Amino acid sequence: MDSERSKHYPLYRRQVVARLLRDRGDMLVVAGLGASAWDITAAGDDPLNFPLWGAMGGAVPMGLGLALSQPGRRVLVVTGDGEMLMGLGSLATVALQSPANLGIVVLDNEHYGETGMQSTHTAGNADLAAMAIAAGFPVCDTVWDDAGLEAALPLIRNGKAPVFLNIKIRAETPPLVLPPKQGVVLKNRFRLALLGAEE
Amino acid sequence: MTQTDIATWSGEIYQKLLRHRVRQVAYVPDAGHLHLIERCIESREMVSVPLTTEEEGVALLAGAWLGGDRGVLLMQSSGVGNCLNMLSLPRVCEMPLVMLVTMRGECGEFNPWQIPMGRNTEKLLTTAGVLTFPVDESGRLEEVVDSAMRKAFEGPSAVAVLISQRILGVKNFGK
């Protein structure tokens, strides 16, 4: 376990997420609980964002259900290493369905950010991109720097198969930018923006 | 209960799923759901999603609902415990969730390891805010599944139909 190394990674989470969501078009975005949810909100709150406040381990399967229901839309899951580690089996579930419109981005700072910055397993030898490959993802990569991020963007926007990117980011605690907390509000605004008024 | 009987009520449930416009069917297999799972896999109206653990299904169907799809989650009672924290998602967001749960650990259970979850399935679901619909006669299954789905999708609510071992027959490992 090396709890120090991620303090020197060059990519900053807020800049990465702003880059991912710039020119997002009509992309649907699910964020795992904690810092990832604050990151997508800092990039610009949007009715087509679904930031989770709980349900740890559920971001990827939630993105899968959404992607299967909306095959014509891009779906992006943005989550953290701790949240991803709790739902690793869901990578095999996604790979089996293989929705072409789903991208998964893990913001991997090798720490649990909401609970006191304890190290996660990725500060040791756990390699999330290798796990995604082993689960059956056809397109996987680990991104370490700006050049890698720029190269990966077209896969997120226009990939023809489910994409898994583990982005190594600096361990830091940017200011909180909180989305609405009420689940009913988040659900209603998302469905209204995507599906229109209920019949 | 013979395999023919199970195929009959599985077919009836399948028709109800179609009637309620269910599109995503998530499951961790159970012998009691064998026929229903086969029908759903063959269906052109449905997408079948095998899970590695039941809680994935709770999150999957929340995502499906956000995108406008209705779904059901098929599992056995031992999987209910795996779902507990994830059940906060449909509860807090007031989304529909339909669980069809085949029971283990009831009268005649051969495997003592099934008893702790089986005996507490309904209590745990109720505690988690899920409305339960226990059924122990195959003749009532179709009607109960229909009213549970109505409750879920019109509520919206989280519901679980608990299908008794009396309907499924008891697994005895050939003993």
Side-chain angles (χ1 to χ4, degrees), chain A:
Chain A
M1 192 89 94
D2 181 346
S3 61
E4 294 299 309
R5 68 185 180 202
S6 59
K7 292 177 182 166
H8 308 290
Y9 291 160
L11 291 173
Y12 291 91
R13 58 187 314 137
R14 289 277 161 87
Q15 289 171 13
V16 167
V17 173
R19 188 73 190 92
L20 289 171
L21 298 183
R22 194 198 306 163
D23 312 318
R24 64 186 272 178
D26 61 4
M27 190 160 68
L28 312 174
V29 180
V30 174
L33 82 173
S36 309
W38 323 151
D39 292 338
I40 67 162
T41 308
D45 191 28
D46 190 297
L48 295 177
N49 282 358
F50 200 91
L52 288 159
W53 284 78
M56 188 162 175
V60 167
M62 194 168 183
L64 175 61
L66 184 56
L68 293 174
S69 70
Q70 291 285 329
R73 301 286 279 261
R74 299 300 297 181
V75 175
L76 178 64
V77 173
V78 180
T79 192
D81 43 313
E83 208 271 348
M84 187 69 254
L85 284 163
M86 196 172 279
L88 285 174
S90 66
L91 294 176
T93 299
V94 170
L96 193 61
Q97 297 297 321
S98 212
N101 58 331
L102 179 61
I104 296 168
V105 165
V106 178
L107 302 168
D108 181 6
N109 66 359
E110 306 178 358
H111 290 79
Y112 292 103
E114 302 302 304
T115 55
M117 294 301 267
Q118 299 88 347
S119 291
T120 68
H121 304 55
T122 62
N125 294 327
D127 178 339
L128 290 170
M131 287 176 173
I133 291 170
F137 268 74
V139 184
C140 303
D141 209 352
T142 302
V143 170
W144 295 91
D145 53 26
D146 267 321
L149 182 61
E150 289 301 320
L153 283 173
L155 297 174
I156 298 286
R157 300 274 163 74
N158 308 306
K160 300 289 183 265
V163 177
F164 181 96
L165 289 179
N166 193 52
I167 304 186
K168 289 289 187 180
I169 53 159
R170 183 169 296 212
E172 40 140 11
T173 309
L176 292 177
V177 182
L178 302 180
K181 187 158 51 179
Q182 296 80 6
V184 176
V185 170
L186 294 168
K187 173 200 68 174
N188 285 343
R189 71 177 197 171
F190 193 104
R191 282 174 54 94
L192 186 64
L194 178 61
L195 306 169
E198 310 246 358
E199 73 253 20

Side-chain angles (χ1 to χ4, degrees), chain B residues 4 68 80 138:
Chain B
T4 315
V80 166
S138 58

